[in-house]
Amino acid sequence: MAVDVLLGLQWGDEGKGKIVDYLAGNYDMVARFQGGPNAGHTLYVNGKKIVLHHIPSGIFHQKPINLIGNGVVIDAATLKAEIAKIDAIGAGVNIQQQLCIARKAHLILPTHRLLDAASEAAKGKSKIGSTLRGIGPTYTDKIARRGLRIGDIEMDDFDQRYEAIKAQHESLLQHYGYNYQSQLTEMEAAFKDGLATLRTLKLVDALYLVNDYLQAGKNILAEGAQGTMLDIDFGTYPFVTSSNTITAGVCNGLGIAPQQIGEVIGITKAYCTRVGGGPFPSELLGDKGEEIRQAGGEFGATTGRPRRCGWIDLPALKYAVLLNGVTQVVMTKVDILSLFTEIEACTAYEVNGAKTQQVPFDVARQNPQPIYEAFKGWHCDLSDFNHFKQLPETLQQYMAYVENYLGANISILSTGPERNQLVFKEAKVDAELV
Ligand code: GDP
Ligand code: IMO
Ligand code: MG
């Protein structure tokens, strides 16, 4: 048995949550391996919308156990609120039984969030547009070898260690000239409440759990957050997040060996979005972008910010397929492109006067210009289709073009936000729900 991986191929928000929720019943474990509450994964459960930030999107299924892996960074207050939202939906989830948290996952402290805000404010116009959830400063402390981990809350010296790192952070905040005192008092109260909730949850030495599962022949789905173009090493640096969002991140984010990786399911929208700053070669700045934003409800699930919208960027997608070893592609939000009688795709860039299909070294500075090809749109309601062969010819032609360009198979199309609004290439698999 293997660890299958599901991750985003663009700049996040590809619809990962919906697809994990659909597939989760086929797995014994669903595990987040990186990121933190910068993620917002939207699911519809019994017709009700819920946005998950840390908790894997398998939580509404009876079978899989859900693991927050060591590569994740956790905000205890947000986690507490997330659990309350899950309880409120009334789907019978038993968090104490269905959720495990790796002791080696790092803790986001209130001062990490303040440092995120101070650092963004200091950058002015060149700010990353971070989600202000403290992600960058928490991963910075992890790499600087001074972070606090979930397992530390079980140790006697936790309070002293917390105070010591808080003092370091406060001197940094003073260096930034950031006025933080009143916010910190309030945030610390929520943090302490969150820690009390964390202490009631199942904290585990996750690498043993994961490898015991694999040795017992059980299967695992690793759920990515963010997207490939936000990866710390391979994304549009410095406009990226602070973790490895790609398949390689699964090994160090869960504690498994590379040969355990099985299928890699890459998710892309039929078009493209980005939230926050940074380059976006195929961005549509005029009316078309606005039409997509409104039709697609393209507003951040975590921050509510309007998402920037554009045509699909095939050179970037091909780069993502290569980096992740994608074995199948799921294309979401195909229904939104039904708006148009004609659609376009960026099929190459012009960089320094030369045409290329490669993503340049520094997308922000080298400013690749998109070269587009036009396609006839399908311009119809897709809600009655459940097999590829029934789809309009124009949509089949668009998909064949994309598959050929990427050298990868599209296995599922998503045609709406609900769990079952999916169209399959092969016979479909049904998942057991709570
Ligand atoms: P994630 O971060 O990758 O899980 O994606 P988000 O939840 O941030 O954003 C995806 C948005 O699109 C959510 O509001 C989903 O409910 C919605 N969505 C997912 N798939 C589809 C689809 O095929 N069609 C439509 N119209 N909405 C979708
Ligand atoms: P999901 O999992 C979209 C973006 C932020 C910002 C950059 C860095 O829902 O797809 P950070 O807070 O991580 O330091 O911000 O990354 N970003 C996301 N964009 N979807 C996400 O997650 C994101 N998580 C972070 O907007 O540009
Ligand atoms: Mg999201």
Short mmCIF file of all heavy atoms in Angstrom, two decimals, residues 44-48 50 59-62 83-95 98 419 433-434:
data_model
loop_
_atom_site.label_atom_id
_atom_site.label_comp_id
_atom_site.label_asym_id
_atom_site.label_seq_id
_atom_site.Cartn_x
_atom_site.Cartn_y
_atom_site.Cartn_z
N TYR A 44 -18.61 21.15 1.33
CA TYR A 44 -20.05 21.23 1.58
C TYR A 44 -20.49 19.92 2.20
O TYR A 44 -20.31 18.85 1.62
CB TYR A 44 -20.82 21.50 0.27
CG TYR A 44 -20.74 22.97 -0.09
CD1 TYR A 44 -19.63 23.48 -0.77
CD2 TYR A 44 -21.75 23.85 0.28
CE1 TYR A 44 -19.54 24.84 -1.08
CE2 TYR A 44 -21.66 25.21 -0.02
CZ TYR A 44 -20.55 25.69 -0.70
OH TYR A 44 -20.46 27.03 -0.99
N VAL A 45 -21.00 20.01 3.42
CA VAL A 45 -21.43 18.82 4.14
C VAL A 45 -22.91 18.98 4.45
O VAL A 45 -23.31 19.95 5.08
CB VAL A 45 -20.63 18.67 5.46
CG1 VAL A 45 -21.03 17.41 6.19
CG2 VAL A 45 -19.15 18.69 5.18
N ASN A 46 -23.69 18.04 3.97
CA ASN A 46 -25.17 18.12 4.10
C ASN A 46 -25.66 19.49 3.63
O ASN A 46 -26.49 20.11 4.29
CB ASN A 46 -25.63 17.90 5.55
CG ASN A 46 -25.12 16.58 6.10
OD1 ASN A 46 -24.89 15.66 5.34
ND2 ASN A 46 -24.92 16.51 7.41
N GLY A 47 -25.11 19.97 2.53
CA GLY A 47 -25.53 21.26 1.97
C GLY A 47 -25.00 22.48 2.71
O GLY A 47 -25.26 23.60 2.32
N LYS A 48 -24.23 22.24 3.80
CA LYS A 48 -23.69 23.38 4.55
C LYS A 48 -22.21 23.57 4.24
O LYS A 48 -21.46 22.60 4.19
CB LYS A 48 -23.85 23.15 6.06
CG LYS A 48 -25.30 23.23 6.52
CD LYS A 48 -25.35 23.11 8.05
CE LYS A 48 -26.66 22.46 8.48
NZ LYS A 48 -26.55 21.68 9.70
N ILE A 50 -18.39 24.61 4.91
CA ILE A 50 -17.44 24.73 6.02
C ILE A 50 -16.04 24.91 5.44
O ILE A 50 -15.70 24.30 4.42
CB ILE A 50 -17.51 23.54 6.99
CG1 ILE A 50 -16.52 23.74 8.15
CG2 ILE A 50 -17.29 22.19 6.31
CD1 ILE A 50 -16.85 22.97 9.40
N ILE A 59 -12.27 14.64 7.46
CA ILE A 59 -12.83 14.59 8.82
C ILE A 59 -14.31 14.22 8.83
O ILE A 59 -14.81 13.71 9.84
CB ILE A 59 -12.55 15.92 9.57
CG1 ILE A 59 -12.73 15.76 11.08
CG2 ILE A 59 -13.40 17.07 9.05
CD1 ILE A 59 -11.70 14.94 11.77
N PHE A 60 -15.01 14.43 7.73
CA PHE A 60 -16.44 14.12 7.72
C PHE A 60 -16.74 12.69 7.29
O PHE A 60 -17.89 12.34 7.05
CB PHE A 60 -17.20 15.15 6.86
CG PHE A 60 -17.20 16.50 7.51
CD1 PHE A 60 -16.32 17.50 7.09
CD2 PHE A 60 -18.03 16.77 8.60
CE1 PHE A 60 -16.29 18.73 7.72
CE2 PHE A 60 -18.00 18.01 9.23
CZ PHE A 60 -17.14 18.99 8.79
N HIS A 61 -15.71 11.87 7.18
CA HIS A 61 -15.89 10.46 6.82
C HIS A 61 -15.61 9.59 8.03
O HIS A 61 -14.75 9.92 8.85
CB HIS A 61 -14.94 10.07 5.69
CG HIS A 61 -15.26 10.77 4.40
ND1 HIS A 61 -15.86 10.13 3.36
CD2 HIS A 61 -15.06 12.05 4.02
CE1 HIS A 61 -16.03 11.00 2.36
NE2 HIS A 61 -15.54 12.17 2.73
N GLN A 62 -16.30 8.44 8.06
CA GLN A 62 -16.17 7.55 9.20
C GLN A 62 -14.84 6.81 9.21
O GLN A 62 -14.23 6.65 10.26
CB GLN A 62 -17.28 6.51 9.11
CG GLN A 62 -17.84 6.12 10.44
CD GLN A 62 -19.28 5.67 10.26
OE1 GLN A 62 -19.60 5.02 9.27
NE2 GLN A 62 -20.11 6.01 11.20
N ILE A 83 -12.65 23.46 15.35
CA ILE A 83 -13.33 22.30 15.95
C ILE A 83 -14.77 22.69 16.32
O ILE A 83 -15.72 21.93 16.08
CB ILE A 83 -12.55 21.80 17.19
CG1 ILE A 83 -11.22 21.22 16.73
CG2 ILE A 83 -13.36 20.78 17.98
CD1 ILE A 83 -10.25 20.89 17.86
N ALA A 84 -14.93 23.92 16.82
CA ALA A 84 -16.29 24.38 17.18
C ALA A 84 -17.18 24.43 15.93
O ALA A 84 -18.36 24.07 15.98
CB ALA A 84 -16.20 25.75 17.84
N LYS A 85 -16.61 24.86 14.80
CA LYS A 85 -17.40 24.93 13.55
C LYS A 85 -17.80 23.53 13.09
O LYS A 85 -18.89 23.31 12.59
CB LYS A 85 -16.58 25.60 12.44
CG LYS A 85 -16.60 27.11 12.50
CD LYS A 85 -16.14 27.74 11.19
CE LYS A 85 -14.73 27.33 10.82
NZ LYS A 85 -14.18 27.91 9.61
N ILE A 86 -16.88 22.59 13.24
CA ILE A 86 -17.17 21.20 12.84
C ILE A 86 -18.29 20.64 13.72
O ILE A 86 -19.23 20.01 13.23
CB ILE A 86 -15.89 20.34 12.92
CG1 ILE A 86 -14.93 20.77 11.81
CG2 ILE A 86 -16.21 18.85 12.81
CD1 ILE A 86 -13.57 20.10 11.86
N ASP A 87 -18.20 20.91 15.02
CA ASP A 87 -19.25 20.45 15.94
C ASP A 87 -20.60 21.06 15.56
O ASP A 87 -21.62 20.38 15.56
CB ASP A 87 -18.90 20.84 17.39
CG ASP A 87 -17.77 19.98 17.94
OD1 ASP A 87 -17.49 18.92 17.34
OD2 ASP A 87 -17.17 20.38 18.96
N ALA A 88 -20.55 22.36 15.20
CA ALA A 88 -21.81 23.08 14.93
C ALA A 88 -22.53 22.54 13.69
O ALA A 88 -23.74 22.69 13.56
CB ALA A 88 -21.53 24.57 14.76
N ILE A 89 -21.79 21.91 12.80
CA ILE A 89 -22.42 21.42 11.57
C ILE A 89 -23.27 20.17 11.85
O ILE A 89 -24.12 19.77 11.05
CB ILE A 89 -21.34 21.23 10.47
CG1 ILE A 89 -21.84 21.84 9.17
CG2 ILE A 89 -20.99 19.79 10.23
CD1 ILE A 89 -20.77 22.06 8.15
N GLY A 90 -23.02 19.56 13.01
CA GLY A 90 -23.87 18.46 13.45
C GLY A 90 -23.78 17.20 12.60
O GLY A 90 -24.79 16.53 12.38
N ALA A 91 -22.56 16.90 12.11
CA ALA A 91 -22.41 15.71 11.27
C ALA A 91 -21.91 14.50 12.07
O ALA A 91 -21.55 13.48 11.50
CB ALA A 91 -21.47 16.02 10.11
N GLY A 92 -21.89 14.62 13.37
CA GLY A 92 -21.51 13.48 14.22
C GLY A 92 -20.03 13.19 14.26
O GLY A 92 -19.61 12.07 14.56
N VAL A 93 -19.20 14.21 13.97
CA VAL A 93 -17.74 14.00 14.01
C VAL A 93 -17.28 13.93 15.47
O VAL A 93 -17.67 14.76 16.29
CB VAL A 93 -17.01 15.15 13.28
CG1 VAL A 93 -15.50 15.02 13.44
CG2 VAL A 93 -17.39 15.17 11.81
N ASN A 94 -16.45 12.91 15.77
CA ASN A 94 -15.86 12.81 17.10
C ASN A 94 -14.38 13.18 16.99
O ASN A 94 -13.54 12.36 16.62
CB ASN A 94 -16.03 11.39 17.63
CG ASN A 94 -15.50 11.26 19.05
OD1 ASN A 94 -14.61 12.00 19.46
ND2 ASN A 94 -16.07 10.34 19.80
N ILE A 95 -14.09 14.46 17.27
CA ILE A 95 -12.73 14.98 17.04
C ILE A 95 -11.70 14.20 17.85
O ILE A 95 -10.62 13.85 17.34
CB ILE A 95 -12.68 16.50 17.37
CG1 ILE A 95 -13.28 17.28 16.21
CG2 ILE A 95 -11.26 16.99 17.65
CD1 ILE A 95 -12.42 17.35 14.94
N GLN A 98 -11.24 11.01 15.86
CA GLN A 98 -10.94 11.03 14.42
C GLN A 98 -9.73 11.88 14.06
O GLN A 98 -9.31 11.87 12.91
CB GLN A 98 -12.17 11.53 13.65
CG GLN A 98 -13.32 10.55 13.66
CD GLN A 98 -14.59 11.11 13.01
OE1 GLN A 98 -15.62 11.24 13.64
NE2 GLN A 98 -14.49 11.47 11.75
N ARG A 419 -20.12 18.00 -3.26
CA ARG A 419 -19.30 16.79 -3.25
C ARG A 419 -19.48 15.94 -4.51
O ARG A 419 -18.54 15.38 -5.04
CB ARG A 419 -19.67 15.99 -2.01
CG ARG A 419 -18.73 14.89 -1.68
CD ARG A 419 -19.27 14.15 -0.48
NE ARG A 419 -18.63 14.52 0.77
CZ ARG A 419 -19.21 14.36 1.96
NH1 ARG A 419 -20.44 13.90 2.05
NH2 ARG A 419 -18.55 14.66 3.06
N LEU A 433 -19.69 7.82 3.89
CA LEU A 433 -19.71 9.04 4.70
C LEU A 433 -20.14 8.73 6.12
O LEU A 433 -20.71 7.69 6.39
CB LEU A 433 -20.69 10.03 4.08
CG LEU A 433 -20.33 10.44 2.64
CD1 LEU A 433 -21.37 11.38 2.10
CD2 LEU A 433 -18.97 11.11 2.63
N VAL A 434 -19.87 9.69 6.99
CA VAL A 434 -20.32 9.57 8.38
C VAL A 434 -21.85 9.48 8.39
O VAL A 434 -22.50 10.24 7.68
CB VAL A 434 -19.87 10.82 9.19
CG1 VAL A 434 -20.63 10.90 10.50
CG2 VAL A 434 -18.39 10.79 9.43
#
